[in-house]
Amino acid sequence: MIDLDKIRQDTPGCEKLIHFNNAGAALMPSQVVKAVQNYLAIEEYEGGYETADRYADELKDFYGYAARLLNCQARNIAFTTNATDSYNRALSAIDFKPGDVILLTENDYPSNYIALISLQKRFDLRLVTIRNTLSGEVDLNDLDEKLKKYAPRLVSVSHVPTSSGLVQPAVKIGEIIKKYDALYLLDACQSLGQLNVDAIATHADFISGTFRKFLRGPRGAGLLYVSDKALAAGLEPLFIDLRGATWVTPDQYISGNDARRFEDWETSYALMTGCTEALKYLIGIGISHIEARNAELIGKLKNELGKIDRIRLLDRGSQQCSIVTFSIAGTKEEVTQFYHDHSINIYTTSKSSAIIDFQNKGIDWAVRVSPHYYNTESEITRFVEVTQMRNS
Ligand SMILES: Cc1ncc(COP(=O)(O)O)c(C=O)c1O
């Protein structure tokens, strides 16, 4: 189903090392790198504005492919610089009033928490956290009760947190939120590219994402999905610019109709072409094949890591994904260096990325390992051997 030989040929970095940091930034397929390089080479000789004019039709492809990824329409997609940028643009569109409540989860991304705390300080908002179930995901009954009790303006959920393999029930959450008059902002930064995210099924008003992670696109690029409902309600970023609006009289502008009202005029078209290639590449393989392949790899990894003494697997939630976290003796720096010395890329996550979760788990940091479909079973075996060596 997955042509692994071809995929690994397209991923030359695979030959040199074991890359288990796809939740940080994946290895890009060479098609993605070439698209960016080719576009920049044309800009070099023809000029940036002129190249964008000449390639206007091809550049539009980005929106169509991103819409296929999310099962929506091209009009619902904005190109941004990263997931945090997307999240903050969505947030800035909401005209919060003093006393408004925002519901969020214990596992929301730290920058999202920081933005919300900053908003809270400036606009006198109230942040209320939804409880987790004993298995670790959002408690849907508590969500329902808090929606009833607080009538929040916004519910913010990170589909997959940065710091563990937990998958929040994004669709079930959306089904509950839609009964109330609250906006739903879904951070799908870690889920896009490894899990099927159907924007319509989630009932989300906004979905933020980034390209460099499981989507295997270039760094410095992201996307924002804006629902038809949010567009029709006239939601627009606070600092809308002349990409999203037209200045018509000295004190008036008219906003555009589609999600591009959330974009900036100045943007990297070279990166956009790379993102389009990354989307085509993913669609060519099929997200269901990717999900199935990753589940196999992760099953093997967890099973074998679980047999090693003094390794504590940390991931919770009734659904989990291609991020595995564990505790091991030593410091973050020593452990990262140790794997690096064995040509394995891993990442460590600190408590400041998961204050509530790591406090509950009683840890200060964790090793984060995030294989993707282009990794192999033998790489997993090698990783486990190296981990055993470290612990012996
Ligand atoms: C869950 C989650 N949300 C948001 C982000 C932020 O993404 P970006 O760095 O592209 O802004 C990350 C990055 O790791 C993440 O893991």
Side-chain angles (χ1 to χ4, degrees):
M1 281 201 283
I2 280 197
D3 185 348
L4 199 56
D5 289 342
K6 155 99 178 55
I7 286 168
R8 286 180 71 80
Q9 273 162 24
D10 292 341
T11 313
C14 289
E15 286 164 25
K16 300 207 180 311
L17 44 76
I18 298 177
H19 189 69
F20 280 175
N21 189 15
N22 293 287
L27 296 179
M28 290 176 277
S30 46
Q31 289 86 335
V32 170
V33 179
K34 284 200 183 95
V36 178
Q37 286 169 337
N38 290 344
Y39 190 90
L40 282 177
I42 301 167
E43 279 193 343
E44 184 183 10
Y45 285 97
E46 298 195 7
Y49 285 27
E50 295 72 12
T51 307
D53 285 346
R54 183 139 85 86
Y55 287 90
D57 284 340
E58 282 90 334
L59 289 167
K60 279 195 198 121
D61 285 349
F62 167 78
Y63 299 93
Y65 282 107
R68 280 178 67 182
L69 173 79
L70 282 156
N71 186 30
C72 62
Q73 302 298 318
R75 64 173 179 269
N76 302 115
I77 302 292
F79 182 63
T80 65
T81 56
N82 55 64
T84 308
D85 181 30
S86 302
Y87 185 92
N88 289 341
R89 278 168 201 267
L91 212 50
S92 82
I94 306 166
D95 64 333
F96 290 108
K97 306 276 187 304
D100 275 351
V101 170
I102 299 174
L103 287 188
L104 71 170
T105 80
E106 294 188 359
N107 296 88
D108 274 22
Y109 186 65
S111 296
N112 302 354
Y113 257 97
I114 291 167
L116 295 175
I117 295 168
S118 169
L119 265 184
Q120 178 189 39
K121 285 201 293 193
R122 193 166 291 191
F123 295 110
D124 190 21
L125 306 176
R126 187 157 170 219
L127 304 185
V128 177
T129 308
I130 312 158
R131 230 187 8 243
N132 278 346
T133 61
L134 290 177
S135 50
E137 63 273 351
V138 159
D139 181 331
L140 298 173
N141 292 327
D142 193 50
L143 167 69
D144 206 350
E145 273 164 30
K146 287 189 167 137
L147 278 158
K148 220 173 285 159
K149 179 168 173 194
Y150 296 106
R153 289 298 305 285
L154 175 71
V155 183
S156 164
V157 176
S158 294
H159 194 185
V160 170
T162 199
S163 49
S164 82
L166 166 73
V167 181
Q168 297 284 19
V171 171
K172 287 187 184 147
I173 290 172
E175 278 164 3
I176 295 173
I177 297 172
K178 84 166 194 249
K179 298 189 289 177
Y180 298 86
D181 185 23
L183 291 161
Y184 178 17
L185 171 49
L186 180 66
D187 172 348
C189 182
Q190 291 291 6
S191 50
L192 290 180
Q194 64 155 324
L195 301 173
N196 185 28
V197 180
D198 179 328
I200 307 300
T202 63
H203 298 286
D205 295 286
F206 297 101
I207 300 178
S208 54
T210 209
F211 273 92
R212 71 181 182 281
K213 298 179 186 287
F214 291 95
L215 287 171
R216 304 186 66 196
R219 294 196 70 172
L223 62 74
L224 175 66
Y225 159 85
V226 187
S227 70
D228 283 339
K229 190 175 123 223
L231 288 172
L235 294 186
E236 61 187 34
L238 181 57
F239 299 111
I240 191 166
D241 84 353
L242 56 85
R243 168 77 143 195
T246 309
W247 189 29
V248 286
T249 69
D251 57 4
Q252 261 190 324
Y253 65 82
I254 297 174
S255 310
N257 290 327
D258 60 23
R260 270 170 270 193
R261 70 168 82 130
F262 281 82
E263 293 184 349
D264 280 339
W265 189 86
E266 176 52 9
T267 198
S268 169
Y269 292 109
L271 292 184
M272 190 187 261
T273 61
C275 294
T276 307
E277 279 311 311
L279 290 165
K280 280 189 201 165
Y281 198 83
L282 180 145
I283 291 166
I285 297 170
I287 191 70
S288 55
H289 293 152
I290 292 174
E291 273 195 49
R293 163 97 189 136
N294 285 358
E296 269 172 32
L297 291 172
I298 289 301
K300 180 174 166 66
L301 176 62
K302 281 189 183 159
N303 181 32
E304 294 185 14
L305 276 180
K307 294 180 194 155
I308 306 179
D309 284 345
R310 287 175 285 128
I311 292 283
R312 182 178 155 214
L313 289 170
L314 298 164
D315 304 296
R316 311 203 53 223
S318 33
Q319 193 194 340
Q320 296 181 11
C321 66
S322 207
I323 296 179
V324 175
T325 54
F326 61 88
S327 289
I328 191 168
T331 66
K332 278 191 312 186
E333 294 73 20
E334 279 165 15
V335 171
T336 309
Q337 189 60 44
F338 175 78
Y339 284 112
H340 187 74
D341 291 344
H342 290 86
S343 302
I344 300 174
N345 290 346
I346 55 101
Y347 192 69
T348 56
T349 310
S350 308
K351 196 173 188 174
S352 59
S353 284
I355 289 279
I356 303 171
D357 187 35
F358 280 15
Q359 207 161 290
N360 290 341
K361 288 172 177 165
I363 52 169
D364 287 328
W365 65 279
V367 179
R368 185 183 74 182
V369 185
S370 48
H372 207 5
Y373 61 88
Y374 62 81
N375 292 120
T376 62
E377 280 77 359
S378 54
E379 287 180 329
I380 302 267
T381 303
R382 174 72 187 142
F383 176 79
V384 173
E385 276 167 15
V386 168
T387 307
Q388 253 159 350
M389 241 149 59
R390 160 100 202 153
N391 254 14
S392 58

